[in-house]
Amino acid sequence: MTEKPSLLLQEQEKNTQTRVEYGVRSELTYDQRSFIMNGERVFLNSATIHYFRMPREEWREVLMKAKLAGMNCIDTYFAWNVHEPEEGQWSFEGDNDCGAFMDLCAELGMYVITRPGPFICAEWDFGGFPYWLETKPGIKFRQNNEAYLHYVDLYFDRIIPIIRERQLSAGGTVILVQVENEYGYLMDDAAASAHMNHLRDSLLLRGIDVPLITCVGGAEGTIEGANFWSGADGHYAKLRKKQPDTPKIVTEFWTGWFENWGGPSAIQKTAPLFEKRMMEILRTGYTGISHYMFYGGTNFGGYGGRTVGSSDIFMITSYDYDAPLNEFGRVTAKYAVAKTLSYFVHAFGALLMETEEVPAEQIKVCHPQGVSVRGRSKGNEKIWFLESHKDERETFHVTLEEGRTLPVALNPGQIIPILDRVEIAENVYLTGGMIITGNEVVNGELTLFIVAEAGQRSVVELETNVLNVQGSSMQVLVERDQLNGAYRFDLVHFREPGIIHLEASGVPIRFVILDKETMDRTWRIDGGGEPNQLRYAIGFDDMDVSLSGQVTGMISDPNRTIMLFGSWTDGERTLTGYEFKNGEVNDSQSGIQDEHVQESSAAIQHAQFTTPPMPPKLSGSPELSRVTLTAEQRASSGQPEHFSQYGQDFGYLLYECDFDRPVDGITTLILPDLQDTARIYVNRVEQALVRQVGAAGVQVQTTEGKNTLQVLVQHMGRLNFSPYLGESKGLAGPVYIGGSVQDIRRNWQTEDGVVHLDEVNHLQEAPLLSRSFTLDGMDCAILVGAVSPGLRINGMDVPMEGYQDWFSFNTLDLSLYLRPGETNRLEMPYRRTPLNRLELILYRSEEELKDWRMAGTDALLPQQWETYEASNESGDLTKSGKAADYSGNRSAISVGSVSHGQPVWYRWRFSKSAVPEQYRVNLMLRLTGMSKGTLHLNGHHLGRYWQIGPQEDYKIPVSWLQDENELLLFDEEGRTPERVRFLYDNLSQYPWVVVE
């Protein structure tokens, strides 16, 4: 019996035939080592960039930055909720024109990896699902659910043709398409196969003919990649065992991390660590890396999501991600690392993709203690990876085969590649223990950039039949090794670049000796595949290439040396930043000037470098519109409706009802199902801001007789990752008055004593914890917080379907398990401490509040503008000093800010600032002193703000500015905006010059 070919092989054969029929040249294949484009191995150096997180006007510059960093591929998600924000209303224009984004990638010579979902995670609201999907009867997300798959098919019908038309077989540059996203976090491959195979087949049936990939979880007929920041070896071993015949790629290399309101800055993944993790990936043998994110961008509008781990991990508006390119598209220290290592891969990737790891027992490199070595080899060519385990920088000597000893300088934890007899030209072999990039012919010379820290010495060996040193701009010692005949170059790395011209076995070679900071400012400008058009520029902090091909560069220090190699219009040359900026005035040109003219020229040069443009200025007296919260004109309903039921995607909902109390006093409002922050008002007086959600109990002041309750809920983003996708936003279900909230993290009993779960504990075993409570006349109970699996109440198991321990959060209704009039007992296994939340909420079912009135964002819009008074003279401004932030039974006091005591809109009208053509500015808004709300510019929703950190400044896209502009700010507390101001980012102060 003949075995049926695998699905993947069938598709490859069909695709090859299609390409033959249509005469398409490009063909992507692969083996266990790498992908192969038209017979040539290609290392996929991919930059993850989301078109929907920036204005279209910024696409080109961000993509060009990726290309200049050595990336040859762009990876992007497709956000369903961006393209179908309302059912049946499709948007593929302007900023949402994903086809144009892919076309631009192709224009720049970049491959494209597409990830159409339908689920994308991405810290994006609802993981990319449109909000209205939640309203469909019987729907279950990311399952073989009839309702869900029906809408997925409709989405695929629109998005897949856009991708299909840009595949290799159609003359485009789409090379890979991903099936779903990180499905392995939900279930193993066997359990996931039905759903993953359905989505795979949906792509194939719609004409996708490039290889299919998956990440974190696989499917037959696809190539699986790994997502991680660290642990490259373990992930590689799993992939190799699972799919021995496919390339090993990192589908998401997490370059940084997201940030959430009230959390710390995500700066833990430093540039040196980033470099180390990249080296680990190369050392292990991966031949594809997708940098997630290379550029993060911004969560404009309401698109920032929410993730698991606590009740209130809501994404901030910035999606900077601490990525190589920051939120404004500026280069960072990580960008410099990514660029340098990408240039290294470009120089020696052909060797890397052909190597196998050297078994430990075959390694013959001798080295001192405090370092370790691993290697990869192809025949006699080897690349060793030397790693420091010391606490300080040190120069180590290592001895390679045949007694060849090299010094290698390493920072703590750093990994440096040692090239060992790597053939760089016919009969020319190089050995060196430092970063080397280049290794290509530039203007007729084989050019290599040899990089180390400033002041560092390094050694390079060349084995060649004949060597002639023809010239050098620096002192260099060259010795012939009597043992093996190699020529040994003893180099020093100054801040000023050095150049050595030599000829080896008849091959013209140029060594460019750089310190690390100068390498950071070294740029390779691709000649579009034409070797005679290849150029390098050294000394620029940033570079760009326009649509017409004009190269521009930014210079922060006019005293810096600028060097140009390759096919520049005016040839190769060396000059200073001052000379470059001012028409390349050099000594020979200026020698005929008199002293007065020279002084004037110097003054002009200095002014051009030190007079940056100024940002727009906001008036200290904006217009304001006070918002009176009311839903009195709206019809009443029995229970509150959540956002999707109300038909609103983002923004605010105001819930309002009346209730009676027998006496004045403080009572507790119970919100059993609340998934967003909420401001609580009783009788028009704000009582609390609920921050920790899921379920909440809030102490409120009431009066005898009739009271009016108002709950203002801001949609803070749906879960972007969880088995529990599609949570109801706003108030969902009944609300109760009367009850209690207990923080139950302390006083859990074990056989060995008492355990406090809000303290650090180091319990060797996982003892069973127990705790008792009484109902005190209540008949309903909710447990919310970091609940451990295996929970029992009164001896009965409490199911937690789909729960993962690392969620650190769950909301459980315990009402069915209660024993009225008795002591109730909770039991659960110890998992970890400290816990940030574990609360028991008790209430009476008969105390439900009825007859709710609701109003949406439309009821909060400004109605009447008035002049802003920046003082207390009007008598309506107060110092905010009440208990404003509720967290369980704990409250935080907000003091010192002047407030109107109600939500307020502020409106500024301002003119766009004049910016000289040699500057490129990025504008941000600093909201010092404000509370929480939304920002709007010229009809664009700039996103949410909340001044609890870590975000302080908010991006204002320059492309959205007009000559005259309107800025709107909605502040929930009506804080006064005396300190709100525009700023340019730091790099806006430096000029750009044309490089020809």
Side-chain angles (χ1 to χ4, degrees):
M1 176 178 173
T2 303
E3 183 177 354
K4 181 180 178 180
S6 73
L7 177 66
L8 188 58
L9 290 176
Q10 292 178 53
E11 288 303 315
Q12 283 187 333
E13 293 172 0
K14 182 183 75 173
N15 300 344
T16 301
Q17 182 61 36
T18 300
R19 282 186 278 270
V20 170
E21 292 174 359
Y22 288 93
V24 178
R25 293 182 179 179
S26 294
E27 181 179 5
L28 182 72
T29 57
Y30 58 84
D31 59 17
Q32 75 278 12
R33 296 186 188 275
S34 73
F35 287 100
I36 303 168
M37 182 65 72
N38 301 328
E40 183 176 343
R41 293 196 181 278
V42 56
F43 191 106
L44 283 186
N45 226 342
S46 179
T48 301
I49 297 169
H50 299 154
Y51 61 92
F52 47 84
R53 277 186 156 126
M54 60 179 151
R56 181 173 181 161
E57 292 83 357
E58 297 178 9
W59 289 353
R60 184 180 185 89
E61 185 174 358
V62 170
L63 291 173
M64 179 56 70
K65 286 287 199 306
K67 182 178 177 68
L68 289 171
M71 302 292 124
N72 59 6
C73 185
I74 299 298
D75 172 311
T76 189
Y77 282 132
F78 295 75
W80 182 358
N81 51 11
V82 163
H83 295 300
E84 195 183 8
E86 299 290 342
E87 185 174 0
Q89 298 179 16
W90 294 93
S91 174
F92 292 100
E93 304 81 30
D95 296 345
N96 300 336
D97 192 344
C98 54
F101 180 80
M102 290 185 281
D103 292 341
L104 182 55
C105 294
E107 177 189 321
L108 296 177
M110 311 279 278
Y111 302 127
V112 179
I113 300 173
T114 65
R115 307 170 79 185
F119 169 77
I120 63 172
C121 185
E123 288 71 63
W124 193 250
D125 183 73
F126 209 173
F129 294 141
Y131 85 94
W132 50 263
L133 208 58
E134 179 196 349
T135 67
K136 301 305 175 184
I139 196 165
K140 293 184 178 180
F141 305 103
R142 303 182 75 188
Q143 300 182 28
N144 274 3
N145 169 268
E146 183 177 355
Y148 172 66
L149 293 180
H150 168 75
Y151 290 100
V152 168
D153 286 341
L154 294 177
Y155 164 64
F156 275 0
D157 286 343
R158 298 300 296 261
I159 201 70
I160 300 307
I162 297 173
I163 298 171
R164 181 185 66 223
E165 294 163 4
R166 291 165 173 83
Q167 297 179 107
L168 286 175
S169 58
T173 59
V174 173
I175 58 169
L176 300 170
V177 176
Q178 182 173 294
V179 182
E180 233 271 352
N181 187 61
E182 298 182 326
Y183 206 77
Y185 287 137
L186 292 185
M187 57 188 75
D188 61 30
D189 286 359
S193 63
H195 186 61
M196 290 292 287
N197 290 348
H198 177 94
L199 295 178
R200 174 203 65 197
D201 294 344
S202 295
L203 298 176
L204 297 175
L205 290 171
R206 288 169 175 81
I208 296 300
D209 56 35
V210 295
L212 299 178
I213 62 171
T214 62
C215 64
V216 189
E220 183 191 359
T222 67
I223 300 167
E224 185 175 347
N227 295 0
F228 60 85
W229 156 252
S230 58
D233 289 332
H235 290 287
Y236 187 90
K238 290 178 183 178
L239 291 177
R240 192 159 189 169
K241 180 179 180 180
K242 195 172 182 180
Q243 293 187 328
D245 300 325
T246 63
K248 304 302 173 284
I249 59 175
V250 186
T251 36
E252 289 185 14
F253 170 50
W254 297 325
T255 64
W257 206 242
F258 57 81
E259 294 177 336
N260 61 278
W261 299 117
S265 295
I267 56 174
Q268 64 272 22
K269 297 177 180 177
T270 63
L273 268 177
F274 177 70
E275 177 188 290
K276 178 174 182 172
R277 299 302 182 221
M278 283 278 288
M279 280 297 181
E280 290 171 347
I281 289 170
L282 296 177
R283 180 179 68 184
T284 302
Y286 292 92
T287 54
I289 306 171
S290 194
H291 297 72
Y292 187 102
M293 300 291 298
F294 193 83
Y295 165 80
T298 310
N299 296 320
F300 292 119
Y303 282 116
R306 170 195 185 192
T307 197
V308 295
S310 185
S311 65
D312 57 347
I313 302 182
F314 299 106
M315 300 302 113
I316 64 172
T317 296
S318 171
Y319 196 63
D320 180 272
Y321 207 78
D322 195 25
L325 286 175
N326 72 13
E327 184 180 6
F328 296 92
R330 298 289 197 192
V331 301
T332 69
K334 284 183 181 176
Y335 180 91
V337 169
K339 177 160 64 72
T340 297
L341 295 191
S342 294
Y343 287 10
F344 168 72
V345 167
H346 184 269
F348 300 102
L351 173 59
L352 281 169
M353 289 184 286
E354 293 283 358
T355 60
E356 288 290 342
E357 180 156 12
V358 179
E361 63 273 13
Q362 296 179 18
I363 294 177
K364 299 180 181 179
V365 177
C366 297
H367 56 82
Q369 292 184 343
V371 294
S372 57
V373 65
R374 288 167 54 181
R376 305 191 66 81
S377 68
K378 175 197 173 188
N380 293 324
E381 296 179 282
K382 299 180 180 66
I383 300 180
W384 304 104
F385 293 88
L386 192 68
E387 179 176 0
S388 170
H389 304 287
K390 291 294 190 75
D391 295 329
E392 61 183 46
R393 180 176 175 81
E394 191 172 332
T395 297
F396 302 90
H397 285 80
V398 296
T399 299
L400 308 178
E401 295 171 329
E402 300 178 9
R404 296 170 295 133
T405 300
L406 295 175
V408 182
L410 289 167
N411 292 319
Q414 188 177 20
I415 301 173
I416 286 289
I418 302 175
L419 303 178
D420 185 357
R421 284 179 168 157
V422 172
E423 188 172 19
I424 59 173
E426 188 174 359
N427 296 320
V428 182
Y429 303 89
L430 179 143
T431 298
M434 71 293 291
I435 292 288
I436 299 178
T437 67
N439 192 28
E440 58 189 336
V441 176
V442 182
N443 198 24
E445 290 182 285
L446 180 62
T447 302
L448 295 96
F449 299 88
I450 302 172
V451 185
E453 299 282 351
Q456 182 65 49
R457 306 193 75 86
S458 64
V459 170
V460 170
E461 287 188 351
L462 281 184
E463 295 180 47
T464 178
N465 296 328
V466 180
L467 178 74
N468 293 313
V469 177
Q470 299 175 327
S472 175
S473 68
M474 60 187 295
Q475 294 290 322
V476 59
L477 177 65
V478 184
E479 297 180 331
R480 187 77 182 271
D481 191 315
Q482 299 302 317
L483 185 64
N484 59 15
Y487 294 91
R488 188 178 179 95
F489 292 75
D490 185 352
L491 307 172
V492 59
H493 297 260
F494 291 121
R495 299 188 188 280
E496 290 289 332
I499 302 178
I500 304 171
H501 296 278
L502 53 94
E503 185 177 86
S505 298
V507 178
I509 297 177
R510 167 169 49 189
F511 285 165
V512 183
I513 315 304
L514 304 176
D515 78 320
K516 179 184 178 299
E517 288 188 8
T518 306
M519 182 64 220
D520 293 347
R521 292 189 287 266
T522 296
W523 303 82
R524 181 182 186 274
I525 294 98
D526 194 333
E530 299 294 331
N532 61 347
Q533 295 298 312
L534 178 63
R535 292 166 289 177
Y536 276 89
I538 297 176
F540 295 94
D541 301 85
D542 202 348
M543 295 212 83
D544 190 22
V545 183
S546 70
L547 179 62
S548 65
Q550 184 182 73
V551 179
T552 53
M554 187 262 279
I555 305 174
S556 65
D557 180 2
N559 292 304
R560 186 182 302 139
T561 295
I562 305 295
M563 304 182 77
L564 301 177
F565 300 142
S567 59
W568 297 98
T569 302
D570 295 330
E572 296 190 344
R573 57 206 190 275
T574 300
L575 59 165
T576 68
Y578 274 134
E579 292 168 338
F580 214 108
K581 180 68 180 67
N582 295 279
E584 300 181 17
V585 179
N586 56 38
D587 291 340
S588 62
Q589 292 172 315
S590 62
I592 61 173
Q593 297 177 338
D594 61 35
E595 183 178 344
H596 175 73
V597 173
Q598 290 185 24
E599 289 178 357
S600 299
S601 176
I604 293 172
Q605 294 170 5
H606 182 74
Q608 287 177 315
F609 273 95
T610 59
T611 309
M614 298 299 291
K617 186 173 178 59
L618 291 176
S619 166
S621 299
E623 297 174 281
L624 68 86
S625 178
R626 307 163 198 262
V627 176
T628 299
L629 297 176
T630 180
E632 290 179 354
Q633 305 304 316
R634 307 299 176 102
S636 297
S637 61
Q639 290 186 353
E641 294 181 344
H642 55 74
F643 272 79
S644 295
Q645 291 172 327
Y646 192 79
Q648 187 172 302
D649 53 358
F650 303 118
Y652 289 87
L653 285 181
L654 175 65
Y655 300 87
E656 186 177 278
C657 74
D658 301 320
F659 64 94
D660 291 319
R661 297 301 291 171
V663 295
D664 293 351
I666 294 176
T667 187
T668 302
L669 180 72
I670 303 298
L671 307 162
D673 190 351
L674 174 68
Q675 304 299 335
D676 296 280
T677 61
R679 291 191 184 274
I680 311 299
Y681 304 82
V682 175
N683 301 327
R684 311 293 177 182
V685 177
E686 183 177 340
Q687 307 286 312
L689 171 62
V690 179
R691 284 181 54 177
Q692 289 194 327
V693 298
V698 183
Q699 288 191 331
V700 295
Q701 177 70 52
T702 62
T703 60
E704 180 182 354
K706 179 182 176 181
N707 293 262
T708 299
L709 169 69
Q710 293 175 311
V711 183
L712 181 63
V713 179
Q714 184 182 24
H715 189 310
M716 295 298 293
R718 291 178 181 82
L719 285 166
N720 54 259
F721 173 75
S722 169
Y724 310 125
L725 286 176
E727 79 275 25
S728 298
K729 304 299 286 181
L731 291 184
V735 175
Y736 302 87
I737 196 73
S740 66
V741 179
Q742 301 175 34
D743 183 344
I744 60 168
R745 293 178 296 169
R746 300 184 66 80
N747 299 315
W748 287 81
Q749 303 293 322
T750 71
E751 291 183 354
D752 298 322
V754 176
V755 175
H756 300 307
L757 300 183
D758 59 349
E759 299 177 355
V760 175
N761 294 280
H762 298 290
L763 304 184
Q764 298 302 317
E765 303 294 333
L768 185 66
L769 308 175
S770 65
R771 199 178 193 283
S772 299
F773 65 94
T774 57
L775 295 176
D776 297 328
M778 311 295 179
D779 62 351
C780 296
I782 292 173
L783 186 63
V784 58
V787 183
S788 297
L791 178 72
R792 294 167 61 85
I793 179 170
N794 296 326
M796 294 175 283
D797 294 327
V798 180
M800 289 185 280
E801 184 179 353
Y803 183 73
Q804 299 285 343
D805 182 50
W806 43 267
F807 287 1
S808 301
F809 175 72
N810 207 340
T811 304
L812 299 173
D813 189 341
L814 305 181
S815 302
L816 295 177
Y817 306 91
L818 299 178
R819 292 176 178 172
E822 300 181 22
T823 297
N824 291 262
R825 185 179 181 83
L826 286 172
E827 296 175 299
M828 66 178 187
Y830 171 83
R831 306 291 282 190
R832 65 182 177 278
T833 53
L835 305 184
N836 67 353
R837 186 185 185 193
L838 188 60
E839 294 173 348
L840 182 66
I841 300 175
L842 302 174
Y843 59 96
R844 284 183 289 271
S845 57
E846 64 185 27
E847 297 289 346
E848 180 184 349
L849 298 177
K850 302 292 182 83
D851 300 325
W852 288 87
R853 302 177 295 275
M854 291 183 58
T857 297
D858 59 316
L860 305 180
L861 297 178
Q863 300 297 321
Q864 182 176 353
W865 294 98
E866 57 185 280
T867 302
Y868 170 71
E869 299 284 346
S871 71
N872 251 336
E873 294 177 1
S874 62
D876 60 354
L877 301 183
T878 60
K879 286 281 185 177
S880 175
K882 59 184 174 297
D885 292 319
Y886 181 83
S887 303
N889 290 326
R890 297 155 288 165
S891 58
I893 304 300
S894 174
V895 298
S897 297
V898 179
S899 170
H900 286 87
Q902 66 186 108
V904 171
W905 285 92
Y906 295 102
R907 178 169 68 183
W908 289 268
R909 301 186 190 278
F910 66 94
S911 299
K912 183 179 179 180
S913 295
V915 179
E917 63 179 2
Q918 68 265 37
Y919 289 91
R920 297 186 179 186
V921 298
N922 286 320
L923 186 63
M924 64 184 76
L925 185 67
R926 181 163 292 177
L927 297 179
T928 305
M930 306 311 291
S931 66
K932 181 174 178 285
T934 58
L935 293 167
H936 310 262
L937 174 73
N938 298 331
H940 295 278
H941 193 324
L942 299 179
R944 311 177 184 99
Y945 74 86
W946 195 359
Q947 292 306 95
I948 61 171
Q951 185 166 2
E952 182 178 8
D953 301 322
Y954 297 79
K955 179 176 176 177
I956 307 292
V958 173
S959 62
W960 289 351
L961 291 176
Q962 304 167 2
D963 290 339
E964 298 298 325
N965 302 273
E966 179 185 69
L967 175 69
L968 295 174
L969 185 154
F970 174 72
D971 193 82
E972 293 180 18
E973 295 180 14
R975 299 281 184 91
T976 55
E978 282 85 354
R979 299 187 64 190
V980 172
R981 61 191 173 107
F982 282 129
L983 300 91
Y984 286 142
D985 73 337
N986 290 335
L987 296 182
S988 293
Q989 64 183 306
Y990 299 117
W992 288 66
V993 296
V994 175
V995 189
E996 297 178 320

